[in-house]
Amino acid sequence: MKGASLAYARANDVSHALELWRRAGPDARLLAGGQSLLAGINLRLNEIPGLIDISRIGELRGVADLGDRLRIGALTRHADLQADPLVAAHAPAFAQAAPLIAHAAIRTRGTIGGSLAYADPAAELPACVLALDAEIVLRAEAGERRVAAENFFLGLFETALRPFEMIVAVEVPKIGPNRRHAVLELARRSGDYAMAGLVLAADVAGGRLHDVRLSYFSMGPAPVLARGAMAALDSDEGVEAACAALGTDLDPVADLQGGPEMKRHLAGVLLHRAVAGLLGHSPVSGGNHGRG
Amino acid sequence: MAEAEFSTLVEVSLRVNGERVSRRVEARRHLIDFLRLDLGLTGSHAGCEHGVCGACTVRVDGEIVRGCLTLAAQLDGADVWTIEGLSDTGEVRDLQQAFVARNALQCGYCTPGMLATCADLLERSPAPSRAEIREHISGNYCRCTGYEAIIDAVETVAAARRAATGQVAIGQATIGETAE
Amino acid sequence: MSINLSALDRPNSYIGRTVPRPNAPRLAEGRGTYVDDITLPRMVHVAFYRSPHAHARIGRIDAEAALAVPGVLRVFTGRDIAAVCSPWVAVLAHLKGLKSAPQHAIAVDRATWAGEPVAAVVAESRAAAEDGLAVLEVEFEPLPVVAEMETALDPETPLIHPELGDNLAFRRVHEAGDPDGAMASAAAVVEATFHTGRHTGVCLEPRSILAAYNRAENQLTVHHSTQAPHMIQTVLAKHLDMPEGNVRVICGDVGGSYGIKVHVYPDEMATAAIAKIMGRPVKFVADRIESFSSDIHARDHRIKGRLGVDAEGRIVALEIDDLTGIGPYSVYPRTSAIEGNQVVNLCGGPYDFANYRARTTVVLQNKTPTCQYRAVGHPIACAVTEGLVDLAAEAIGMDPVEFRRRNLVRDDAYPYTSAANMRFEGLSHHQSLAKLVEMMDYDALRAEQARLREAGIYRGIGIASFIELTNPSPFMYGIGGARISAQDGCTVRLDPDGSVVALSGVTEQGQGTEAMLAQVVAEGVGVPVERVRIITGDTQVTPYGGGTWASRGAGIGGEAALQAGLALRANILEVAGAMLQAAPETLDVIDGEVVEKATGRARMPLGELGRIVYFRGDTLPKGLPREMVATRHYITSDYPFAFTNGIQASLVEVDVETGMVRLLKHWCVEDCGRVINPLLVDEQIRGGIVQGLGGALYEHCVYSEDGQLLTANMADYLVPMAAEMPDMVVAHVETPTKESLLGAKGAGEAGTAGAPAAVMNAINDALRPFRARVTAMPFTPERILAALGRIPERRF
């Protein structure tokens, strides 16, 4: 199982990367952490004529405090998200999600930019940026633009990225004093892609949730905001009403782990647990797999 | 793709097990094939070549990585350690001895990657619970042992290392803890 | 005549002691030698073009573009290989009616499963060979696919091999007593349908072979990751038309086998054939993706079962109807009917009842072939039996432990012949059950279960008794015509410095064979274990033997080694007697020294004896036998098979909202006869249990309706990983077989045999308040939620 022959170039900086890419053509790929891309190359899933290795571009790495926001460089690795004090303090969902991604030896190389660009519907980080109302900072040779997370994920492995355009950072508003995050998923085994997962962000005050953002992953071709459930929770209609709203919010597709009915059912169970968790009724966040 | 900077053959210079190595490698060649085929370091094993089984786990720049999901071409200037080097320096000798004593390896195919992963855990967490050990090696497949002996061996080494450095052991996980 | 441990309890007494494995430090340092670690001069690599269709006629194969790829040397078709490698038909005469079709190393004319080799590309590297595969053009004409085993025998279903007349490979019906009458008189009859799910072995080291042919000598040397080097030697010799002595199979380190590597694989035969054609060393190492579709699968069974009990809770009758799909060919040379046959032999095995009817129906289908995999048939038979036993206990309102107490064959009832006609020399079901109940504190667990249930936490306790068939005699394969040795041999040699070398026909797969042999030989000869060097896995040097399967390494190979060691000791004492002017029977060998038997006084180190025998033979009496080497072979003959027994228990917690199962703890008491190395036995049990747990909860080869394997990678085929596995408590009862001096019966499969049943019963115990039940493995969250009525059922 050896990848097909391909060409490789190492980019020194972002503009160099973009120049290399234009010269190599649109089928060439950026190599960031490579934890999905290289598996696909080994398996010869796609014909990839060339790789532009961006993994050493220093300007794409690291977390910066921009006052009301955090800027998370595209090459920030899952292991960094797990350990970074700024992330833990201001965007805890990322710190909660990171340990759920695969395994230690993958988190040392996998990056947030790579995860968002790949847009696997079962991945945690796309759902995080969605629930946290983040902006994705993109750059092409023509310049930079920003896309709200809500407008970034278009379908199965499909994003708003244009040809020759790359993610350089994610900018996410810092949480306020009452804001809480919960990331919950159900996976068969630790580190597996989830059967169902959610990211819940809300202000907690007066024993209820306000200003709710709720996204799901592994629930369809792309991560999805559960707007009906968000509205139900915002208007304090209760979790049951929110779960009922999931019926229209979510359109899950069957996979090997289960059919749409199971996924819908689990989405509701997770919502109950996440809300209870944010309200302090039970521990919250983490993967629930069959661990003994 | 005739442009000068793109090439299907890439020059890399790196350190492997402390020794300088310079090679011209195919861009498609992953780190495990590089180690095995170009350097003759056959202690690292390719078990699935799609990043799931963990047999290929090696240390790059102080962190564990999947050797099958890392290209040799990416490693110019890197510092790579394999089971051969970790054995020669004696860094994981206590783990190896505990694995042998506890029969925490049977066929041995997963063992180099398992040892790299366990060494990584003990470096970061001197007193891991059994659940933490299980979680840290949850990406390393072993078909033979059923894992328990590995957990035992790592626990033993952690305790011995703490004793050697004068730390006090802390509690272990028991069954029935809430999954989290 | 079992060995008397107290008589052998002396400084170099190793049987029953934990001794570290001599080969483990090497593996722990990454200094093993697996097949893929070997590079030979002028070595080339072969990769196989595998059928993308489950069933198709093979049209034109155009190799032009492939041959133009840099590094590609040759392309071979089925016909090319058939010219040097004859096809095989895997049947056994004693499995009456078993039929299969001739199978070629590379398919000729027709591909019959998705993954069957249809062409081979040979290149200077594996990568170049795959480059060649990518541009090899093969035309196919798709044919109707037989995927579903339930309809494989329907008249409208197409025939996979029209010349066979139907898709039925084998059927066996066994009847004992009067099952109908007994069922009619039963106080309660329970029934259920079980599915065990198709599994595969996922050895971490994939199947690997490196074949080198020396034309000048007509010598084929094969480095092979295998369990049975002599069987492979015999098969290669036969199908490549060579004398057996000209085929040497070398088996170095093996990265796991579990039954997967005891079969003849078409791609491996083709590799050897290509080596013979090209006169160059040819390496084939399966990649993980092709492993999923070309390694044998197993356990694809649907079993309907009925169990009748009387008012006192005694089993009066058992009926099972087993159906299994084995792929398009019976696998060579062990055949694919054995698993179904074992289900018939083993169902109800632990229990005392007389009325039994069992049927197995083995059908052909266009899926990857199935064959023997760790604990062949056992986990299936055990799940069916134990599932029905728990149902019966529930039906009559009896605790499952009490129900088993009333029905397990009594410990003093042996020899005993089961309703399936299996003959048991001596088992310990009741002793094992008592030990288990005590070890797990059964009553306390039940109390805790009740308490937690009040709090909405659903735990379950599942018990599973089992028997394990080991140490097969020729009744397993030989009488059916298969050239598979049930006998094994060992040669033990004293070297001049007093160290000992032992060559054995059984092989090391990581389970500790070499440690076990070293212990047995050290004890037999009378030397420290570190003075014994074990050589296995080379047909040119070791005695002919069967290799490693059916847990026979210790029971057969170990006994041969013990007898050879004792024989060498006798030879040593004869020479020592002459040297020391003493009667040999007054001397002994202890800890590497010849001693006076009565006093233990040291008379001569073996190194001195060796020096004299080998270099100053002139000083010994003329005519004195000086055979510092002894070979012994061993075969079981009193019983067709040995049987072991045991019992397992599983404690689980089911999240009834998510359907997820947490394995909290697992217990196993097993009786493998003489325990030679307690640590190694315990870890065999643990590893086996986890393999069983994988089948219960995770592993499943899922196919589409058109015969495509949907779980052909490690992200989709879920193996058990560390985070989800429980700690396991293992204990032993020892009932040595009297047939051998050593008394070992084998322990390789006990864990796998009972674990799935224990988990199934535990889950169903947890679900009991909801009147929900699962009987189809793996027990996925989706299936459990469906059983709970929370979601509709979905069929795979």
Side-chain angles (χ1 to χ4, degrees), chain A residues 101-118:
Chain A
I101 304 170
H103 307 284
I106 285 174
R107 296 194 289 266
T108 55
R109 291 190 80 81
T111 66
I112 186 170
S115 175
L116 300 184
Y118 187 53

Side-chain angles (χ1 to χ4, degrees), chain A residues 1-2 43-44 186-190 254-259 261-262 265-266 269 273 288-292, chain C residues 127 130-131 287 289 655 657 660-663 697-698 716 718-719 721 723-724 781-782 791-792 794 796:
Chain A
M1 202 168 98
K2 310 299 176 192
L43 290 160
R44 297 191 187 219
L186 293 163
R188 296 287 299 282
R189 305 171 307 175
S190 175
D255 60 24
L256 282 167
Q257 305 308 335
E261 293 87 354
M262 181 191 79
H265 169 79
L266 294 179
V269 172
R273 292 181 181 183
N288 188 340
H289 53 88
R291 181 187 304 166
Chain C
E130 291 189 32
D131 293 344
D287 71 30
I289 303 302
D655 182 335
E657 291 181 332
M660 302 204 46
V661 175
R662 285 176 57 212
L663 302 166
L697 292 184
Y698 300 110
D716 291 330
L718 307 182
V719 291
M721 300 297 278
E724 290 73 38
E782 184 179 39
I791 59 170
R794 191 172 69 125
F796 269 116

Side-chain angles (χ1 to χ4, degrees), chain A residues 1-10 12 16 19-21 23-24 28 31-35 38-39 42-44 49-53 55-56 77 79 99 102-109 189-191 283-289 291, chain B residues 1 3-12 26-28 30 33 37 46 48-52 57 60 63-66 68-78 117 120 124 131 134-140 175-180:
Chain A
M1 202 168 98
K2 310 299 176 192
S5 190
L6 48 73
Y8 169 94
R10 195 174 296 137
N12 305 319
H16 185 216
E19 181 203 334
L20 285 168
W21 199 358
R23 281 161 44 197
L31 174 59
Q35 299 302 284
L38 293 176
N42 290 347
L43 290 160
R44 297 191 187 219
L51 287 177
I52 299 114
D53 183 355
S55 64
R56 295 173 182 226
R77 304 166 311 156
H103 307 284
I106 285 174
R107 296 194 289 266
T108 55
R109 291 190 80 81
R189 305 171 307 175
S190 175
V284 76
S285 282
N288 188 340
H289 53 88
R291 181 187 304 166
Chain B
M1 228 167 303
E3 287 80 359
E5 286 154 301
F6 279 98
S7 179
T8 55
L9 291 171
V10 181
E11 301 279 350
V12 287
E26 277 199 285
R28 61 169 153 175
H30 58 59
D33 275 355
L37 303 175
C48 76
E49 295 185 285
H50 53 285
V52 187
T57 308
V60 175
E63 294 179 308
I64 51 170
V65 306
R66 294 281 204 242
C68 74
L69 298 184
T70 306
L71 297 178
Q74 293 175 274
L75 295 180
D76 191 50
T117 306
D120 177 68
R124 285 155 214 286
R134 286 186 179 279
E135 174 59 31
H136 201 76
I137 65 167
S138 67
N140 290 73
I175 63 152
E177 284 186 347
T178 308
E180 186 49 38

Side-chain angles (χ1 to χ4, degrees), chain C residues 204-227:
Chain C
L204 194 48
E205 180 212 25
R207 291 186 296 105
S208 309
I209 186 168
L210 167 55
Y213 182 70
N214 182 331
R215 215 167 262 147
E217 295 182 308
N218 187 30
Q219 170 73 35
L220 181 69
T221 303
V222 174
H223 299 268
H224 195 194
S225 181
T226 180
Q227 298 170 232

